Amino acid sequence: MRRKSRRPASPLPQRHGVDPVHLRLPLEGDWPTVREHLVERLPAVAAARVEAALRDGEIVGEQGPIGFDEPFRPGAHLWFYRDHPAEVPVPFDLVVLHRDDHLVVVDKPHFLATTPRGRHVVETALSRLRHSLDLPALSPAHRLDRLTAGLAMFVVRPEDRGAYQTLFRDRLVRKEYQAIAGYDPELSLPCTVRSHIVKERGVIAAREVVDAPPNSESRVDLLEHRDGLGRYRLRPLSGRTHQLRLHMSGLGLPILGDPVYPVVLPEPAPDDFRRPLQLLASTVEFTDPLSGRERRFESRRTLAAWADRPGWESGA
């Protein structure tokens, strides 16, 4: 069996915690120059931008900057920094709760994405942590929705990544969330919600399919209620996208601040940080796969609609 060749180390460092783009030129092709290949390969990038990057030495190979008329070499490796759209800074702190040689656990604020994706690149938990902690190899153990606050785990060393990610894949992490939603005295709680959830690429909202076996399960408990609102403890026993939000909406208790369930609302402006989704990843427990120790982490955050309902409703 032919072994896959390892990618050479990047000659460019991370910038703001974001890796440079890596490209490998095709093993076959009749492009006279690297420039002509890149113009064809990167149609979303204007040819003038590619040419300017080559002139300025911004595209590098293993031996250094690629010249404007550099001949095409099959299989050569290239690196460059992507032009990112301007991002609105998320004006909330990312709090490190735990750090050791293997694991970083943080208390993520609402509106901060966990990992770079789409228009959120620099303003993400991963990029911030790589930069602030000087941990360029840091990687996520799992993903927490951008709109959800609370506990997120990151792995320090690449060789440990699989062990921690397997915990989440095999449902060996015991997770609890808190949520604020309406209160229905007619609803019998606690209850367990099971359904078949489908999430299609490019579609914002997930949906439940009636005539299909369940692939998701959530436990819902009412902790307390007042003035028409309830504070709920949610325990997902599976990990489908938007599972808790969809299950709460299906119970007739959509989580406050949810812009998708039960109705997809117009996307707010990038700098609109009012009325965050009232969902918090509050507790994680697991047996550490490296040390065998029992681990438990708790969020220090609170949900604004419960602590200060008028302030949350007014967007203060």
mmCIF file with all atom_site columns, all heavy atoms in Angstrom, residues 236-258:
data_model
loop_
_atom_site.group_PDB
_atom_site.id
_atom_site.type_symbol
_atom_site.label_atom_id
_atom_site.label_alt_id
_atom_site.label_comp_id
_atom_site.label_asym_id
_atom_site.label_entity_id
_atom_site.label_seq_id
_atom_site.pdbx_PDB_ins_code
_atom_site.Cartn_x
_atom_site.Cartn_y
_atom_site.Cartn_z
_atom_site.occupancy
_atom_site.B_iso_or_equiv
_atom_site.pdbx_formal_charge
_atom_site.auth_seq_id
_atom_site.auth_comp_id
_atom_site.auth_asym_id
_atom_site.auth_atom_id
_atom_site.pdbx_PDB_model_num
ATOM 1   N N   . PRO A 1 236 ? -28.759 16.696 26.841 1.00 0.00 ? 236 PRO A N   1
ATOM 2   C CA  . PRO A 1 236 ? -28.794 16.001 25.553 1.00 0.00 ? 236 PRO A CA  1
ATOM 3   C C   . PRO A 1 236 ? -28.113 14.640 25.661 1.00 0.00 ? 236 PRO A C   1
ATOM 4   O O   . PRO A 1 236 ? -26.974 14.536 26.117 1.00 0.00 ? 236 PRO A O   1
ATOM 5   C CB  . PRO A 1 236 ? -28.012 16.942 24.631 1.00 0.00 ? 236 PRO A CB  1
ATOM 6   C CG  . PRO A 1 236 ? -27.046 17.633 25.551 1.00 0.00 ? 236 PRO A CG  1
ATOM 7   C CD  . PRO A 1 236 ? -27.758 17.780 26.871 1.00 0.00 ? 236 PRO A CD  1
ATOM 8   N N   . LEU A 1 237 ? -28.779 13.617 25.231 1.00 0.00 ? 237 LEU A N   1
ATOM 9   C CA  . LEU A 1 237 ? -28.209 12.271 25.227 1.00 0.00 ? 237 LEU A CA  1
ATOM 10  C C   . LEU A 1 237 ? -27.712 11.894 23.840 1.00 0.00 ? 237 LEU A C   1
ATOM 11  O O   . LEU A 1 237 ? -27.276 10.765 23.616 1.00 0.00 ? 237 LEU A O   1
ATOM 12  C CB  . LEU A 1 237 ? -29.246 11.259 25.724 1.00 0.00 ? 237 LEU A CB  1
ATOM 13  C CG  . LEU A 1 237 ? -29.786 11.552 27.130 1.00 0.00 ? 237 LEU A CG  1
ATOM 14  C CD1 . LEU A 1 237 ? -30.814 10.508 27.536 1.00 0.00 ? 237 LEU A CD1 1
ATOM 15  C CD2 . LEU A 1 237 ? -28.664 11.622 28.146 1.00 0.00 ? 237 LEU A CD2 1
ATOM 16  N N   . SER A 1 238 ? -27.794 12.836 22.922 1.00 0.00 ? 238 SER A N   1
ATOM 17  C CA  . SER A 1 238 ? -27.228 12.700 21.581 1.00 0.00 ? 238 SER A CA  1
ATOM 18  C C   . SER A 1 238 ? -26.748 14.091 21.186 1.00 0.00 ? 238 SER A C   1
ATOM 19  O O   . SER A 1 238 ? -26.943 15.058 21.927 1.00 0.00 ? 238 SER A O   1
ATOM 20  C CB  . SER A 1 238 ? -28.266 12.147 20.593 1.00 0.00 ? 238 SER A CB  1
ATOM 21  O OG  . SER A 1 238 ? -29.440 12.950 20.607 1.00 0.00 ? 238 SER A OG  1
ATOM 22  N N   . GLY A 1 239 ? -26.141 14.202 20.027 1.00 0.00 ? 239 GLY A N   1
ATOM 23  C CA  . GLY A 1 239 ? -25.494 15.468 19.687 1.00 0.00 ? 239 GLY A CA  1
ATOM 24  C C   . GLY A 1 239 ? -25.853 16.023 18.332 1.00 0.00 ? 239 GLY A C   1
ATOM 25  O O   . GLY A 1 239 ? -24.967 16.447 17.571 1.00 0.00 ? 239 GLY A O   1
ATOM 26  N N   . ARG A 1 240 ? -27.131 16.063 17.991 1.00 0.00 ? 240 ARG A N   1
ATOM 27  C CA  . ARG A 1 240 ? -27.559 16.607 16.701 1.00 0.00 ? 240 ARG A CA  1
ATOM 28  C C   . ARG A 1 240 ? -27.498 18.137 16.698 1.00 0.00 ? 240 ARG A C   1
ATOM 29  O O   . ARG A 1 240 ? -27.714 18.782 17.737 1.00 0.00 ? 240 ARG A O   1
ATOM 30  C CB  . ARG A 1 240 ? -28.983 16.154 16.378 1.00 0.00 ? 240 ARG A CB  1
ATOM 31  C CG  . ARG A 1 240 ? -29.121 14.648 16.228 1.00 0.00 ? 240 ARG A CG  1
ATOM 32  C CD  . ARG A 1 240 ? -28.446 14.150 14.969 1.00 0.00 ? 240 ARG A CD  1
ATOM 33  N NE  . ARG A 1 240 ? -28.348 12.696 14.944 1.00 0.00 ? 240 ARG A NE  1
ATOM 34  C CZ  . ARG A 1 240 ? -27.853 12.005 13.919 1.00 0.00 ? 240 ARG A CZ  1
ATOM 35  N NH1 . ARG A 1 240 ? -27.421 12.664 12.857 1.00 0.00 ? 240 ARG A NH1 1
ATOM 36  N NH2 . ARG A 1 240 ? -27.771 10.698 13.980 1.00 0.00 ? 240 ARG A NH2 1
ATOM 37  N N   . THR A 1 241 ? -27.252 18.705 15.533 1.00 0.00 ? 241 THR A N   1
ATOM 38  C CA  . THR A 1 241 ? -27.211 20.162 15.391 1.00 0.00 ? 241 THR A CA  1
ATOM 39  C C   . THR A 1 241 ? -28.545 20.780 15.795 1.00 0.00 ? 241 THR A C   1
ATOM 40  O O   . THR A 1 241 ? -29.599 20.340 15.344 1.00 0.00 ? 241 THR A O   1
ATOM 41  C CB  . THR A 1 241 ? -26.888 20.540 13.932 1.00 0.00 ? 241 THR A CB  1
ATOM 42  O OG1 . THR A 1 241 ? -25.606 20.001 13.590 1.00 0.00 ? 241 THR A OG1 1
ATOM 43  C CG2 . THR A 1 241 ? -26.853 22.051 13.755 1.00 0.00 ? 241 THR A CG2 1
ATOM 44  N N   . HIS A 1 242 ? -28.490 21.785 16.687 1.00 0.00 ? 242 HIS A N   1
ATOM 45  C CA  . HIS A 1 242 ? -29.672 22.531 17.152 1.00 0.00 ? 242 HIS A CA  1
ATOM 46  C C   . HIS A 1 242 ? -30.664 21.634 17.893 1.00 0.00 ? 242 HIS A C   1
ATOM 47  O O   . HIS A 1 242 ? -31.843 21.985 18.032 1.00 0.00 ? 242 HIS A O   1
ATOM 48  C CB  . HIS A 1 242 ? -30.394 23.206 15.979 1.00 0.00 ? 242 HIS A CB  1
ATOM 49  C CG  . HIS A 1 242 ? -29.606 24.292 15.331 1.00 0.00 ? 242 HIS A CG  1
ATOM 50  N ND1 . HIS A 1 242 ? -30.113 25.064 14.303 1.00 0.00 ? 242 HIS A ND1 1
ATOM 51  C CD2 . HIS A 1 242 ? -28.338 24.745 15.543 1.00 0.00 ? 242 HIS A CD2 1
ATOM 52  C CE1 . HIS A 1 242 ? -29.203 25.929 13.913 1.00 0.00 ? 242 HIS A CE1 1
ATOM 53  N NE2 . HIS A 1 242 ? -28.118 25.762 14.653 1.00 0.00 ? 242 HIS A NE2 1
ATOM 54  N N   . GLN A 1 243 ? -30.213 20.501 18.401 1.00 0.00 ? 243 GLN A N   1
ATOM 55  C CA  . GLN A 1 243 ? -31.125 19.531 19.004 1.00 0.00 ? 243 GLN A CA  1
ATOM 56  C C   . GLN A 1 243 ? -31.951 20.130 20.141 1.00 0.00 ? 243 GLN A C   1
ATOM 57  O O   . GLN A 1 243 ? -33.192 20.002 20.155 1.00 0.00 ? 243 GLN A O   1
ATOM 58  C CB  . GLN A 1 243 ? -30.325 18.335 19.516 1.00 0.00 ? 243 GLN A CB  1
ATOM 59  C CG  . GLN A 1 243 ? -31.141 17.328 20.311 1.00 0.00 ? 243 GLN A CG  1
ATOM 60  C CD  . GLN A 1 243 ? -30.293 16.174 20.795 1.00 0.00 ? 243 GLN A CD  1
ATOM 61  O OE1 . GLN A 1 243 ? -29.469 15.660 20.070 1.00 0.00 ? 243 GLN A OE1 1
ATOM 62  N NE2 . GLN A 1 243 ? -30.489 15.766 22.051 1.00 0.00 ? 243 GLN A NE2 1
ATOM 63  N N   . LEU A 1 244 ? -31.306 20.776 21.099 1.00 0.00 ? 244 LEU A N   1
ATOM 64  C CA  . LEU A 1 244 ? -32.036 21.305 22.251 1.00 0.00 ? 244 LEU A CA  1
ATOM 65  C C   . LEU A 1 244 ? -32.996 22.409 21.844 1.00 0.00 ? 244 LEU A C   1
ATOM 66  O O   . LEU A 1 244 ? -34.126 22.486 22.348 1.00 0.00 ? 244 LEU A O   1
ATOM 67  C CB  . LEU A 1 244 ? -31.045 21.814 23.298 1.00 0.00 ? 244 LEU A CB  1
ATOM 68  C CG  . LEU A 1 244 ? -30.137 20.758 23.925 1.00 0.00 ? 244 LEU A CG  1
ATOM 69  C CD1 . LEU A 1 244 ? -29.142 21.412 24.877 1.00 0.00 ? 244 LEU A CD1 1
ATOM 70  C CD2 . LEU A 1 244 ? -30.962 19.699 24.653 1.00 0.00 ? 244 LEU A CD2 1
ATOM 71  N N   . ARG A 1 245 ? -32.560 23.265 20.940 1.00 0.00 ? 245 ARG A N   1
ATOM 72  C CA  . ARG A 1 245 ? -33.418 24.360 20.488 1.00 0.00 ? 245 ARG A CA  1
ATOM 73  C C   . ARG A 1 245 ? -34.654 23.817 19.771 1.00 0.00 ? 245 ARG A C   1
ATOM 74  O O   . ARG A 1 245 ? -35.781 24.302 19.975 1.00 0.00 ? 245 ARG A O   1
ATOM 75  C CB  . ARG A 1 245 ? -32.619 25.287 19.580 1.00 0.00 ? 245 ARG A CB  1
ATOM 76  C CG  . ARG A 1 245 ? -31.464 25.973 20.298 1.00 0.00 ? 245 ARG A CG  1
ATOM 77  C CD  . ARG A 1 245 ? -30.435 26.539 19.354 1.00 0.00 ? 245 ARG A CD  1
ATOM 78  N NE  . ARG A 1 245 ? -30.993 27.583 18.496 1.00 0.00 ? 245 ARG A NE  1
ATOM 79  C CZ  . ARG A 1 245 ? -30.282 28.232 17.571 1.00 0.00 ? 245 ARG A CZ  1
ATOM 80  N NH1 . ARG A 1 245 ? -28.994 27.929 17.391 1.00 0.00 ? 245 ARG A NH1 1
ATOM 81  N NH2 . ARG A 1 245 ? -30.856 29.165 16.829 1.00 0.00 ? 245 ARG A NH2 1
ATOM 82  N N   . LEU A 1 246 ? -34.451 22.806 18.952 1.00 0.00 ? 246 LEU A N   1
ATOM 83  C CA  . LEU A 1 246 ? -35.565 22.211 18.205 1.00 0.00 ? 246 LEU A CA  1
ATOM 84  C C   . LEU A 1 246 ? -36.513 21.454 19.137 1.00 0.00 ? 246 LEU A C   1
ATOM 85  O O   . LEU A 1 246 ? -37.743 21.558 19.019 1.00 0.00 ? 246 LEU A O   1
ATOM 86  C CB  . LEU A 1 246 ? -35.003 21.284 17.133 1.00 0.00 ? 246 LEU A CB  1
ATOM 87  C CG  . LEU A 1 246 ? -35.959 20.737 16.080 1.00 0.00 ? 246 LEU A CG  1
ATOM 88  C CD1 . LEU A 1 246 ? -36.666 21.874 15.340 1.00 0.00 ? 246 LEU A CD1 1
ATOM 89  C CD2 . LEU A 1 246 ? -35.206 19.860 15.082 1.00 0.00 ? 246 LEU A CD2 1
ATOM 90  N N   . HIS A 1 247 ? -35.971 20.720 20.088 1.00 0.00 ? 247 HIS A N   1
ATOM 91  C CA  . HIS A 1 247 ? -36.823 19.964 21.009 1.00 0.00 ? 247 HIS A CA  1
ATOM 92  C C   . HIS A 1 247 ? -37.627 20.889 21.921 1.00 0.00 ? 247 HIS A C   1
ATOM 93  O O   . HIS A 1 247 ? -38.806 20.630 22.196 1.00 0.00 ? 247 HIS A O   1
ATOM 94  C CB  . HIS A 1 247 ? -35.968 19.004 21.834 1.00 0.00 ? 247 HIS A CB  1
ATOM 95  C CG  . HIS A 1 247 ? -35.587 17.765 21.086 1.00 0.00 ? 247 HIS A CG  1
ATOM 96  N ND1 . HIS A 1 247 ? -34.669 16.852 21.554 1.00 0.00 ? 247 HIS A ND1 1
ATOM 97  C CD2 . HIS A 1 247 ? -36.016 17.278 19.889 1.00 0.00 ? 247 HIS A CD2 1
ATOM 98  C CE1 . HIS A 1 247 ? -34.553 15.865 20.692 1.00 0.00 ? 247 HIS A CE1 1
ATOM 99  N NE2 . HIS A 1 247 ? -35.351 16.094 19.674 1.00 0.00 ? 247 HIS A NE2 1
ATOM 100 N N   . MET A 1 248 ? -37.008 21.960 22.399 1.00 0.00 ? 248 MET A N   1
ATOM 101 C CA  . MET A 1 248 ? -37.752 22.902 23.234 1.00 0.00 ? 248 MET A CA  1
ATOM 102 C C   . MET A 1 248 ? -38.861 23.575 22.429 1.00 0.00 ? 248 MET A C   1
ATOM 103 O O   . MET A 1 248 ? -39.985 23.757 22.922 1.00 0.00 ? 248 MET A O   1
ATOM 104 C CB  . MET A 1 248 ? -36.809 23.944 23.828 1.00 0.00 ? 248 MET A CB  1
ATOM 105 C CG  . MET A 1 248 ? -35.918 23.419 24.930 1.00 0.00 ? 248 MET A CG  1
ATOM 106 S SD  . MET A 1 248 ? -36.846 22.965 26.426 1.00 0.00 ? 248 MET A SD  1
ATOM 107 C CE  . MET A 1 248 ? -37.218 24.598 27.104 1.00 0.00 ? 248 MET A CE  1
ATOM 108 N N   . SER A 1 249 ? -38.578 23.941 21.203 1.00 0.00 ? 249 SER A N   1
ATOM 109 C CA  . SER A 1 249 ? -39.607 24.544 20.358 1.00 0.00 ? 249 SER A CA  1
ATOM 110 C C   . SER A 1 249 ? -40.748 23.556 20.114 1.00 0.00 ? 249 SER A C   1
ATOM 111 O O   . SER A 1 249 ? -41.929 23.935 20.121 1.00 0.00 ? 249 SER A O   1
ATOM 112 C CB  . SER A 1 249 ? -38.993 24.987 19.032 1.00 0.00 ? 249 SER A CB  1
ATOM 113 O OG  . SER A 1 249 ? -39.965 25.568 18.191 1.00 0.00 ? 249 SER A OG  1
ATOM 114 N N   . GLY A 1 250 ? -40.399 22.283 19.923 1.00 0.00 ? 250 GLY A N   1
ATOM 115 C CA  . GLY A 1 250 ? -41.420 21.267 19.701 1.00 0.00 ? 250 GLY A CA  1
ATOM 116 C C   . GLY A 1 250 ? -42.333 21.064 20.900 1.00 0.00 ? 250 GLY A C   1
ATOM 117 O O   . GLY A 1 250 ? -43.490 20.659 20.753 1.00 0.00 ? 250 GLY A O   1
ATOM 118 N N   . LEU A 1 251 ? -41.823 21.372 22.106 1.00 0.00 ? 251 LEU A N   1
ATOM 119 C CA  . LEU A 1 251 ? -42.644 21.294 23.318 1.00 0.00 ? 251 LEU A CA  1
ATOM 120 C C   . LEU A 1 251 ? -43.519 22.531 23.495 1.00 0.00 ? 251 LEU A C   1
ATOM 121 O O   . LEU A 1 251 ? -44.297 22.614 24.448 1.00 0.00 ? 251 LEU A O   1
ATOM 122 C CB  . LEU A 1 251 ? -41.746 21.143 24.550 1.00 0.00 ? 251 LEU A CB  1
ATOM 123 C CG  . LEU A 1 251 ? -41.029 19.805 24.728 1.00 0.00 ? 251 LEU A CG  1
ATOM 124 C CD1 . LEU A 1 251 ? -40.067 19.878 25.911 1.00 0.00 ? 251 LEU A CD1 1
ATOM 125 C CD2 . LEU A 1 251 ? -42.023 18.671 24.920 1.00 0.00 ? 251 LEU A CD2 1
ATOM 126 N N   . GLY A 1 252 ? -43.391 23.487 22.575 1.00 0.00 ? 252 GLY A N   1
ATOM 127 C CA  . GLY A 1 252 ? -44.119 24.745 22.716 1.00 0.00 ? 252 GLY A CA  1
ATOM 128 C C   . GLY A 1 252 ? -43.414 25.717 23.629 1.00 0.00 ? 252 GLY A C   1
ATOM 129 O O   . GLY A 1 252 ? -44.029 26.681 24.109 1.00 0.00 ? 252 GLY A O   1
ATOM 130 N N   . LEU A 1 253 ? -42.097 25.495 23.868 1.00 0.00 ? 253 LEU A N   1
ATOM 131 C CA  . LEU A 1 253 ? -41.303 26.337 24.757 1.00 0.00 ? 253 LEU A CA  1
ATOM 132 C C   . LEU A 1 253 ? -40.040 26.816 24.035 1.00 0.00 ? 253 LEU A C   1
ATOM 133 O O   . LEU A 1 253 ? -38.918 26.481 24.448 1.00 0.00 ? 253 LEU A O   1
ATOM 134 C CB  . LEU A 1 253 ? -40.900 25.553 26.016 1.00 0.00 ? 253 LEU A CB  1
ATOM 135 C CG  . LEU A 1 253 ? -42.031 24.937 26.850 1.00 0.00 ? 253 LEU A CG  1
ATOM 136 C CD1 . LEU A 1 253 ? -41.446 24.061 27.938 1.00 0.00 ? 253 LEU A CD1 1
ATOM 137 C CD2 . LEU A 1 253 ? -42.919 26.028 27.438 1.00 0.00 ? 253 LEU A CD2 1
ATOM 138 N N   . PRO A 1 254 ? -40.177 27.580 22.973 1.00 0.00 ? 254 PRO A N   1
ATOM 139 C CA  . PRO A 1 254 ? -38.962 28.042 22.287 1.00 0.00 ? 254 PRO A CA  1
ATOM 140 C C   . PRO A 1 254 ? -38.078 28.846 23.231 1.00 0.00 ? 254 PRO A C   1
ATOM 141 O O   . PRO A 1 254 ? -38.571 29.635 24.049 1.00 0.00 ? 254 PRO A O   1
ATOM 142 C CB  . PRO A 1 254 ? -39.504 28.900 21.146 1.00 0.00 ? 254 PRO A CB  1
ATOM 143 C CG  . PRO A 1 254 ? -40.886 29.297 21.569 1.00 0.00 ? 254 PRO A CG  1
ATOM 144 C CD  . PRO A 1 254 ? -41.404 28.141 22.372 1.00 0.00 ? 254 PRO A CD  1
ATOM 145 N N   . ILE A 1 255 ? -36.777 28.636 23.144 1.00 0.00 ? 255 ILE A N   1
ATOM 146 C CA  . ILE A 1 255 ? -35.832 29.316 24.023 1.00 0.00 ? 255 ILE A CA  1
ATOM 147 C C   . ILE A 1 255 ? -35.810 30.797 23.677 1.00 0.00 ? 255 ILE A C   1
ATOM 148 O O   . ILE A 1 255 ? -35.788 31.175 22.504 1.00 0.00 ? 255 ILE A O   1
ATOM 149 C CB  . ILE A 1 255 ? -34.433 28.688 23.876 1.00 0.00 ? 255 ILE A CB  1
ATOM 150 C CG1 . ILE A 1 255 ? -34.477 27.210 24.295 1.00 0.00 ? 255 ILE A CG1 1
ATOM 151 C CG2 . ILE A 1 255 ? -33.404 29.444 24.705 1.00 0.00 ? 255 ILE A CG2 1
ATOM 152 C CD1 . ILE A 1 255 ? -33.190 26.449 24.026 1.00 0.00 ? 255 ILE A CD1 1
ATOM 153 N N   . LEU A 1 256 ? -35.821 31.632 24.693 1.00 0.00 ? 256 LEU A N   1
ATOM 154 C CA  . LEU A 1 256 ? -35.820 33.083 24.457 1.00 0.00 ? 256 LEU A CA  1
ATOM 155 C C   . LEU A 1 256 ? -34.604 33.490 23.631 1.00 0.00 ? 256 LEU A C   1
ATOM 156 O O   . LEU A 1 256 ? -33.495 33.011 23.866 1.00 0.00 ? 256 LEU A O   1
ATOM 157 C CB  . LEU A 1 256 ? -35.795 33.829 25.798 1.00 0.00 ? 256 LEU A CB  1
ATOM 158 C CG  . LEU A 1 256 ? -37.171 34.280 26.341 1.00 0.00 ? 256 LEU A CG  1
ATOM 159 C CD1 . LEU A 1 256 ? -38.059 33.091 26.622 1.00 0.00 ? 256 LEU A CD1 1
ATOM 160 C CD2 . LEU A 1 256 ? -36.990 35.129 27.602 1.00 0.00 ? 256 LEU A CD2 1
ATOM 161 N N   . GLY A 1 257 ? -34.853 34.368 22.682 1.00 0.00 ? 257 GLY A N   1
ATOM 162 C CA  . GLY A 1 257 ? -33.780 34.869 21.839 1.00 0.00 ? 257 GLY A CA  1
ATOM 163 C C   . GLY A 1 257 ? -33.438 33.980 20.673 1.00 0.00 ? 257 GLY A C   1
ATOM 164 O O   . GLY A 1 257 ? -32.481 34.283 19.936 1.00 0.00 ? 257 GLY A O   1
ATOM 165 N N   . ASP A 1 258 ? -34.172 32.891 20.455 1.00 0.00 ? 258 ASP A N   1
ATOM 166 C CA  . ASP A 1 258 ? -33.855 31.988 19.343 1.00 0.00 ? 258 ASP A CA  1
ATOM 167 C C   . ASP A 1 258 ? -34.333 32.597 18.026 1.00 0.00 ? 258 ASP A C   1
ATOM 168 O O   . ASP A 1 258 ? -35.537 32.817 17.848 1.00 0.00 ? 258 ASP A O   1
ATOM 169 C CB  . ASP A 1 258 ? -34.512 30.622 19.550 1.00 0.00 ? 258 ASP A CB  1
ATOM 170 C CG  . ASP A 1 258 ? -33.902 29.545 18.662 1.00 0.00 ? 258 ASP A CG  1
ATOM 171 O OD1 . ASP A 1 258 ? -33.496 29.866 17.535 1.00 0.00 ? 258 ASP A OD1 1
ATOM 172 O OD2 . ASP A 1 258 ? -33.816 28.389 19.115 1.00 0.00 ? 258 ASP A OD2 1
#
